[in-house]
Amino acid sequence: MMNEKVNKAFNEQMNREFYSAYLYLGMSEWLSRNAWTNSASWMVEQYREEIAHAEGLMRWIQRCDGEVEFYAIGAVHTNYDSLLDVFEKALAHEQFVTKSIHGLVKLTQENEDRASELFLDWYVMEQVEEEEVARENIDNIKLAGDDRKALIDFDKSMAGRTFTPPAIPYLE
Ligand code: OFO
């Protein structure tokens, strides 16, 4: 059975992933309201991905005979200054999530929960990708600068993202 401390920290991380989903849905709302249609759809896919991250953690807790607890998800605002502001806040959030996952890994090590530590490897690597993509989006928006046409091209480049459920190891 999962150690109580590790169990609690997994529930907290699951909550952060649900919050991430909620945050990205809020960003999608702002993007949609401001006619950045493709970026809004991209954020909805990001929302779906975060739900899958949360579900993965939930299933791991269940596999380890832990107790799944659903904490309250914090409210999110839907006010942003610009396209750049949205994506900068997305990167800042991913950096926060990376830190919290690293903290969770450390806790599994301290509690000698080798299986959970191994399970989290996928999440550690996923964060590398999450931050990389977030940085690329910011770079592309910055390259467009104040050029409205270039910003519209950026938005077009965000079209077509479709969510494929990730194959998180050790859940099957
Ligand atoms: Fe779950 O990776 Fe973003 O937050």
Side-chain angles (χ1 to χ4, degrees):
M1 183 164 170
M2 202 174 223
N3 165 301
E4 219 175 284
K5 268 194 210 160
V6 173
N7 191 160
K8 184 170 181 288
F10 262 77
N11 277 318
E12 284 166 354
Q13 186 59 38
M14 179 180 72
N15 181 270
R16 277 182 211 114
E17 302 288 348
F18 279 127
Y19 176 81
S20 302
Y22 212 27
L23 181 72
Y24 291 133
L25 205 55
M27 289 179 177
S28 153
E29 159 57 20
W30 184 90
L31 291 162
S32 171
R33 213 186 319 134
N34 287 276
W36 301 111
T37 315
N38 296 305
S39 300
S41 302
W42 190 94
M43 276 298 176
V44 171
E45 299 307 301
Q46 185 68 18
Y47 148 82
R48 296 203 167 105
E49 194 169 308
E50 297 299 350
I51 297 282
H53 294 170
E55 278 177 7
L57 293 163
M58 179 186 76
R59 285 164 60 207
W60 181 252
I61 298 168
Q62 289 168 335
R63 273 204 81 182
C64 298
D65 199 22
E67 192 181 340
V68 175
E69 285 189 79
F70 297 101
Y71 305 138
I73 302 168
V76 297
H77 72 81
T78 58
N79 298 315
Y80 294 92
D81 296 336
S82 61
L83 196 56
L84 182 61
D85 186 37
V86 171
F87 284 92
E88 281 183 336
K89 295 224 162 84
L91 174 62
H93 181 69
E94 286 307 327
Q95 288 166 334
F96 160 75
V97 171
T98 299
K99 262 192 203 140
S100 71
I101 285 172
H102 291 180
L104 188 52
V105 170
K106 195 161 172 248
L107 191 76
T108 60
Q109 289 164 344
E110 286 163 2
N111 287 275
E112 297 177 3
D113 184 344
R114 179 73 185 113
S116 295
E117 183 189 351
L118 204 57
F119 170 74
L120 287 171
D121 276 357
W122 183 88
Y123 283 82
V124 170
M125 296 314 292
E126 175 69 6
Q127 282 311 117
V128 174
E129 192 188 314
E130 293 277 72
E131 287 195 25
E132 191 178 28
V133 170
R135 275 196 311 273
E136 269 172 26
N137 288 334
I138 291 170
D139 288 348
N140 289 334
I141 295 168
K142 282 187 174 167
L143 276 175
D146 292 331
D147 181 342
R148 194 80 187 155
K149 161 111 185 33
L151 287 170
I152 290 168
D153 284 346
F154 165 80
D155 186 60
K156 279 188 192 150
S157 76
M158 299 297 268
R161 179 181 179 186
T162 49
F163 171 70
T164 313
I168 303 175
Y170 309 119
L171 289 177
E172 269 73 44

mmCIF file of all heavy atoms in Angstrom, residues 7 53 144:
data_model
loop_
_atom_site.group_PDB
_atom_site.id
_atom_site.type_symbol
_atom_site.label_atom_id
_atom_site.label_comp_id
_atom_site.label_asym_id
_atom_site.label_seq_id
_atom_site.Cartn_x
_atom_site.Cartn_y
_atom_site.Cartn_z
ATOM 1 N N ASN A 7 1.068 9.235 -0.792
ATOM 2 C CA ASN A 7 -0.328 9.233 -1.242
ATOM 3 C C ASN A 7 -0.889 10.665 -1.287
ATOM 4 O O ASN A 7 -1.478 11.094 -2.279
ATOM 5 C CB ASN A 7 -1.142 8.352 -0.286
ATOM 6 C CG ASN A 7 -2.548 8.040 -0.783
ATOM 7 O OD1 ASN A 7 -3.185 7.100 -0.345
ATOM 8 N ND2 ASN A 7 -3.077 8.819 -1.715
ATOM 9 N N HIS A 53 -3.162 13.766 -17.729
ATOM 10 C CA HIS A 53 -2.083 13.709 -16.718
ATOM 11 C C HIS A 53 -2.684 13.435 -15.330
ATOM 12 O O HIS A 53 -2.153 12.633 -14.559
ATOM 13 C CB HIS A 53 -1.314 15.037 -16.669
ATOM 14 C CG HIS A 53 -0.541 15.344 -17.918
ATOM 15 N ND1 HIS A 53 0.048 16.561 -18.148
ATOM 16 C CD2 HIS A 53 -0.273 14.579 -19.014
ATOM 17 C CE1 HIS A 53 0.659 16.527 -19.333
ATOM 18 N NE2 HIS A 53 0.471 15.349 -19.874
ATOM 19 N N ALA A 144 7.115 37.660 -34.184
ATOM 20 C CA ALA A 144 6.067 38.406 -34.908
ATOM 21 C C ALA A 144 6.006 39.852 -34.425
ATOM 22 O O ALA A 144 5.642 40.756 -35.189
ATOM 23 C CB ALA A 144 4.714 37.719 -34.711
#
